Amino acid sequence: MREDTLTKPPKSLGRLEELVAFLAHWQGHAPPRLERTEVLVFAGNHGVTAQGVSAYPAEVTVQMVANFSAGGAAINQLARAAGASLRVIPLALETPTADFTAAPALGEAEFIAAVATGYDAVEPESDLLCLGEMGIGNTTAAAAIAAALFGGGGERWAGRGTGVDDAGLARKRDVIDHALARHAAILHDPLRIAAACGGRELAAILGATLAARRHAIPVLLDGFVCTSAVAPLYRLRTDTLAHALAGHVSAEAGHRALLDELNLKPLLDLNMRLGEASGGATALLILRAALACHTGMATFAEAGVSDKPADESAEPKAAG
Amino acid sequence: MREDTLTKPPKSLGRLEELVAFLAHWQGHAPPRLERTEVLVFAGNHGVTAQGVSAYPAEVTVQMVANFSAGGAAINQLARAAGASLRVIPLALETPTADFTAAPALGEAEFIAAVATGYDAVEPESDLLCLGEMGIGNTTAAAAIAAALFGGGGERWAGRGTGVDDAGLARKRDVIDHALARHAAILHDPLRIAAACGGRELAAILGATLAARRHAIPVLLDGFVCTSAVAPLYRLRTDTLAHALAGHVSAEAGHRALLDELNLKPLLDLNMRLGEASGGATALLILRAALACHTGMATFAEAGVSDKPADESAEPKAAG
């Protein structure tokens, strides 16, 4: 295997080596490629914002979509830095989901339509997909999904999102606990949880993750919302996320616990909490570094470097 | 301040925002620049290899320097990926240091010469410096320095380096403990510790770090050996490393404890343990991502995005 012949001690590039093996496994060829990499950002609006769960008004969702189009958001800069194309897909921004403390956020048909939008957005020839979202109020939806799937209630899963104060955080916790009570009858069904507590952009991320699996495209997940969006798949069958990497662990309160529940080990831990696929796109830089080493390094034979253990040449006899 | 006007919740880019502020502080201008970034890799040989403390023979140091020149090592690929130039500076490879279990590794004049080589290698106009090393046997030297500065002996600081087995690790621990006993008389003096237990490439890293401070150039440190090389400066005065960032925490056993002693929080944790500035160069990608966001993002005003708190538009009244 090429990796073992490169001019470095075995395994000394740590996760960089594992990443190359992961990409090669899913892409089905070695070395893997990172030529066609795409960032998909889905956007949606949330009726639960009426409960005062966000530090920003709901209009910011559509304003930020315009900012993505104009190239002014963080993800525009990060996608460019990581050599990835960026596509932003707004989902019925003029029609927020229902307030899920009172009704399911999405009806079955609406949920399936959003999943299909995500599924169809994936380019089958992609080498790698970064998934992300924008949607004022969606950390509350994400926390409700995580609570419904893994237990612990608002106390365990609510965080400050874009920056609510203590009173706002207390409201978020209450909203989540109310939602769990309201939807108690469907808590055994991961996909009905995704519809009842989620949102269109989360459903689209779920659909895109399924499409990536169908086409054997590795996926870089982003933060808490993106991870919650795909968590129902894990609940259905634990290996459905085997093609996904956690790009980072965010500063949003529940993310580390959620990654633990999903057995995902984040690549980065930089206290980011922006969403927009920002953590995943940053992590793509690490994948590129890994691949650059794998494809560019000389082998021991090419470089004339000894790969003999020291005990064939040193005195006193060395061990390894 | 520009950072607070960009289209994202305040502080939501986490350490990326802190990195930009750090670079601007040391460079003395905002926004900071990453145009002239340089990786300096110093190489040296170690008499202590006679004790069987490495998995590779000492000849590998000179072979790897040739590999650096030919462009075949990991650091060649990583420096290119990070947009940094690379300079490799071998220090008297034909003259290993003395075996420090029997004598000081370097005499005073040799130590000062190596420090001066590192000091003089720094280009005063650099925007950022990544420091690294190559030297078979040098994790033993690094562990001896850390033990001499911070206590705990070979048990606390010896690791597997390039990959010694259990017997080799036991020998490393013994070698370190013997060195501490041999040099007991100078353990109060950080610079004499650096000379007695270190090596030329470590001394050069110390010198380069001093020169970077003189010219207010931010520094990205690499793994255990690089961090041990500069630790004596911290022992002299804790703020001497204020211009340095820990690029990563390596898999080498003592590195996390050493970073804790130096109050350095690593940017990456990817289980790497190669040296050569590989962790620092990978971390430079994160700095570039941070700067790309800072300089490329639109402000709220430019993008027409509301930065008003939700409590001016949402019902019921939101908190912040």
Side-chain angles (χ1 to χ4, degrees):
Chain A
M1 181 183 166
R2 174 172 169 82
E3 193 66 51
D4 300 331
T5 68
L6 300 178
T7 46
K8 58 178 172 50
K11 316 246 182 259
S12 60
L13 284 174
R15 290 198 77 184
L16 300 195
E17 299 183 26
E18 297 166 19
L19 289 170
V20 171
F22 173 90
L23 294 173
H25 170 76
W26 285 103
Q27 295 183 357
H29 50 83
R33 282 191 292 261
L34 290 173
E35 286 155 27
R36 279 176 286 197
T37 57
E38 185 160 51
V39 177
L40 291 181
V41 177
F42 299 98
N45 268 321
H46 293 263
V48 74
T49 53
Q51 300 291 331
V53 292
S54 177
Y56 288 82
E59 305 89 86
V60 166
T61 304
V62 73
Q63 292 167 350
M64 281 301 295
V65 167
N67 194 24
F68 296 142
S69 298
I75 189 58
N76 299 97
Q77 325 314 317
L78 293 170
R80 186 183 312 119
S85 61
L86 169 63
R87 205 150 27 110
V88 178
I89 300 173
L91 291 106
L93 297 188
E94 67 293 350
T95 311
T97 57
D99 175 351
F100 61 68
T101 60
L106 294 170
E108 191 175 311
E110 293 173 305
F111 176 70
I112 290 171
V115 170
T117 298
Y119 194 99
D120 294 340
V122 173
E123 168 57 57
E125 302 300 312
S126 284
D127 294 326
L128 181 100
L129 196 60
C130 286
L131 295 174
E133 44 55 48
M134 172 71 215
I136 295 298
N138 70 10
T139 58
T140 303
I145 290 174
L149 292 174
F150 300 109
E155 175 74 24
R156 181 178 183 200
W157 297 104
R160 292 183 188 272
T162 50
V164 290
D165 63 10
D166 289 349
L169 182 59
R171 267 198 306 278
K172 267 177 96 160
R173 289 180 177 146
D174 283 349
V175 160
I176 291 159
D177 291 338
H178 276 108
L180 293 176
R182 170 67 182 76
H183 302 294
I186 55 95
L187 296 186
H188 61 285
D189 182 335
L191 291 180
R192 291 183 72 186
I193 288 170
C197 302
R200 291 189 183 84
E201 76 279 34
L202 284 82
I205 287 171
L206 185 151
T209 301
L210 287 173
R213 182 58 170 264
R214 164 74 181 79
H215 301 299
I217 301 167
V219 167
L220 264 172
L221 300 173
D222 191 31
F224 181 58
V225 178
C226 182
T227 309
S228 280
V230 300
L233 297 177
Y234 183 88
R235 261 308 205 191
L236 285 174
R237 215 177 74 187
T238 56
D239 80 344
T240 47
L241 297 183
H243 65 310
L245 297 167
H248 77 137
V249 55
S250 90
E252 178 69 4
H255 196 208
R256 195 177 297 272
L258 184 58
L259 292 174
D260 285 347
E261 291 282 4
L262 302 180
N263 278 306
L264 289 170
K265 189 168 151 44
L267 281 165
L268 299 174
D269 179 3
L270 294 168
N271 212 29
M272 296 165 71
R273 52 176 176 82
L274 178 58
E276 303 180 3
S278 57
T282 306
L284 175 51
L285 293 166
I286 304 298
L287 270 63
R288 290 203 181 278
L291 187 58
C293 289
H294 183 77
T295 57
M297 284 178 72
T299 63
F300 281 103
E302 287 163 1
V305 174
S306 171
D307 62 348
K308 298 248 172 53
D311 59 0
E312 297 178 18
S313 61
E315 288 294 334
K317 212 161 162 16
Chain B
M1 180 183 166
R2 174 171 170 82
E3 193 67 51
D4 300 330
T5 68
L6 301 178
T7 44
K8 58 177 173 50
K11 315 249 183 258
S12 61
L13 285 173
R15 291 198 77 185
L16 300 195
E17 298 183 27
E18 297 166 19
L19 289 170
V20 170
F22 172 91
L23 294 174
H25 171 76
W26 285 103
Q27 293 182 358
H29 49 83
R33 281 191 293 260
L34 289 173
E35 287 155 26
R36 279 175 289 195
T37 57
E38 186 160 50
V39 178
L40 292 180
V41 177
F42 298 98
N45 269 319
H46 294 264
V48 73
T49 53
Q51 301 291 331
V53 291
S54 177
Y56 288 82
E59 304 90 84
V60 165
T61 304
V62 72
Q63 292 166 352
M64 280 301 295
V65 167
N67 194 25
F68 296 142
S69 298
I75 189 58
N76 298 98
Q77 324 315 318
L78 293 170
R80 185 184 311 118
S85 61
L86 169 63
R87 206 151 25 111
V88 178
I89 301 174
L91 292 105
L93 297 187
E94 67 295 347
T95 311
T97 57
D99 175 352
F100 62 68
T101 60
L106 295 169
E108 190 176 311
E110 292 172 305
F111 175 71
I112 290 171
V115 170
T117 298
Y119 194 99
D120 294 341
V122 173
E123 167 57 56
E125 301 300 313
S126 284
D127 294 325
L128 181 100
L129 196 60
C130 286
L131 296 174
E133 43 58 45
M134 171 72 215
I136 296 297
N138 70 10
T139 58
T140 304
I145 289 173
L149 292 173
F150 299 110
E155 175 74 24
R156 182 178 183 200
W157 298 104
R160 292 182 188 272
T162 50
V164 290
D165 62 10
D166 290 348
L169 182 59
R171 267 199 306 278
K172 268 177 95 161
R173 289 181 178 147
D174 284 350
V175 160
I176 291 159
D177 291 337
H178 276 108
L180 293 176
R182 170 66 182 76
H183 302 295
I186 57 95
L187 296 186
H188 62 285
D189 182 335
L191 292 180
R192 291 183 73 186
I193 289 170
C197 302
R200 290 189 183 85
E201 76 278 34
L202 284 82
I205 287 170
L206 185 152
T209 301
L210 287 173
R213 181 58 170 263
R214 165 73 181 78
H215 302 298
I217 301 168
V219 167
L220 264 173
L221 300 173
D222 191 31
F224 181 59
V225 177
C226 182
T227 309
S228 279
V230 301
L233 296 177
Y234 183 88
R235 261 308 206 192
L236 284 174
R237 216 178 72 186
T238 56
D239 81 343
T240 48
L241 297 183
H243 65 311
L245 297 167
H248 77 138
V249 55
S250 89
E252 179 69 3
H255 196 209
R256 195 176 297 271
L258 183 58
L259 292 174
D260 285 346
E261 292 282 4
L262 303 179
N263 278 306
L264 289 170
K265 189 167 152 48
L267 282 166
L268 300 174
D269 180 3
L270 294 169
N271 212 30
M272 295 166 71
R273 53 177 176 79
L274 178 58
E276 304 179 4
S278 57
T282 306
L284 174 51
L285 293 166
I286 305 297
L287 271 62
R288 289 203 182 279
L291 187 57
C293 288
H294 183 77
T295 58
M297 283 177 72
T299 63
F300 281 103
E302 287 164 0
V305 175
S306 171
D307 62 348
K308 298 248 172 54
D311 60 359
E312 297 179 19
S313 61
E315 286 297 332
K317 213 159 161 17

